[in-house]
Amino acid sequence: MADRRVEAVIFDLDGVLTDTAEYHYLAWQAIADEAGLTFDRRANEALRGLSREASLRAILGDTELDAARFAELLERKNRRYLQLLASMGPDDLLEGAADLVAEVRRRGRLTAVGSSSRNARMVLERLGITDQFDAIADGDSAAAAKPDPGIFLAAAADLGVAPQRCVVVEDAASGVEAAHAGGMRAVGIGPADRVGDAELRFERTADVDVDALLGCSGPPGRC
Ligand code: BG6
Ligand code: MG
C-alpha cells in the first residue's frame, strides 16, 4: 500500500489563517452595489477560494460586460480590498491559527501556504507569519486557480514532498476539490455544506486536532 504518512501541511490563507474572507465579501458587495448587480452574503459563500476573475464571472451570471469594464471592476474590487487590509496586523490571525502552524512545525512536518490570492504574500507579511512557512504558492504560482490543483501542486513541488504525503487545510469547497484533484487529502474548516467532501472537518481553525490532522494518512476519501 502507498505510504501516505503526512509529511507536510498546506494551509489555505483566506478563511483558514485569517478572516480576509470577510474583507473579500465586503469589497465585492461594494462593487456589486455600485454596478447594480445582485449579490449578498449567501452568494458570496460560493466565491470562497475562487480567483478574482472567476469571482466576478460568478457574480455577473448572465450579465455581459465588455473586457474594459470587466477589468475596471476587478481593479476597483482589489483597490477596495487593499483599503480594508490597510490596518491589518498580527491581531488579525484567526484564533488558534499561529499555534496550529507552530505545532505542526514542532512535530517535524513542513508547512506551506496555498492561496488563490495574488495578495497572499502581503497578507502573510502583515500577519507577521511569513517565516513560519517553508513554501508559499499564491495566485501567481499556477496557470489556473482552485478548483484546479495547480496551486497546491506548486506548493508540494516547492516543498519537495509527494502530493499524497500532503494534507490541505481549507475553508472552501473549491479548495477541497483542488486538494483532491491533486491527490491530497483535505481537512475542512467550516460547515459541512461547504467543506463536507473533506476527509476531516472542524468548525473553526481553533478546533483542529493536530493528532487527527497529522494522522490523516488513509487512502483518498478516508483519513
Ligand atoms: C482566495 C479567496 O484566497 O483568493 C477568494 O478565498 C479571492 O475570495 C481569491 O477571490 C483571489 O484573491 P485576490 O487577493 O487575488 O483578489
Ligand atoms: Mg479560503
Side-chain angles (χ1 to χ4, degrees):
M1 201 171 79
D3 183 357
R4 298 178 173 278
R5 197 164 33 92
V6 175
E7 286 182 5
V9 180
I10 305 176
F11 294 88
D12 173 49
L13 173 64
D14 295 330
V16 169
L17 299 177
T18 181
D19 202 10
T20 39
E22 177 66 13
Y23 296 150
H24 280 294
Y25 161 67
L26 292 171
W28 280 128
Q29 186 69 65
I31 297 309
D33 291 347
E34 284 167 26
L37 299 164
T38 308
F39 188 65
D40 58 20
R41 204 172 266 283
R42 197 162 159 268
N44 182 68
E45 284 302 290
L47 306 186
R48 283 178 187 254
L50 299 186
S51 69
R52 208 177 299 165
E53 292 76 6
S55 299
L56 182 53
R57 279 196 297 273
I59 293 170
L60 286 170
D62 293 336
T63 306
E64 296 201 2
L65 288 187
D66 64 37
R69 175 79 170 141
F70 189 88
E72 185 207 330
L73 292 186
L74 290 180
E75 162 67 21
R76 273 179 30 207
K77 186 272 174 175
N78 198 48
R79 246 185 290 135
R80 174 76 65 146
Y81 178 62
L82 293 176
Q83 279 166 6
L84 291 166
L85 292 187
S87 59
M88 181 176 223
D91 286 350
D92 289 288
L93 276 161
L94 277 170
E95 185 190 340
D99 288 346
L100 174 60
V101 176
E103 182 61 14
V104 168
R105 293 176 73 78
R106 201 184 65 75
R107 297 197 192 191
R109 277 30 176 245
L110 296 173
T111 53
V113 166
S115 169
S116 297
S117 174
R118 286 188 220 103
N119 294 303
R121 285 173 190 273
M122 188 265 284
V123 171
L124 290 167
E125 282 296 319
R126 285 193 166 277
L127 294 171
I129 51 164
T130 305
D131 62 355
Q132 293 300 297
F133 299 99
D134 302 292
I136 296 171
D138 63 15
D140 289 321
S141 302
K146 304 167 191 177
D148 189 278
I151 289 170
F152 292 142
L153 291 175
D158 203 353
L159 293 173
V161 175
Q164 71 268 17
R165 294 188 183 172
C166 296
V167 171
V168 165
V169 184
E170 256 295 343
D171 71 313
S174 62
V176 172
E177 194 181 330
H180 288 164
M184 304 176 186
R185 275 137 301 137
V187 172
I189 305 293
D193 61 358
R194 201 170 72 206
V195 292
D197 288 344
E199 277 80 3
L200 263 182
R201 185 183 74 80
F202 299 95
E203 213 44 49
R204 303 172 311 143
T205 302
D207 300 331
V208 174
D209 175 335
V210 181
D211 289 329
L213 170 71
L214 299 182
C216 191
S217 54
R222 288 214 320 260
C223 259

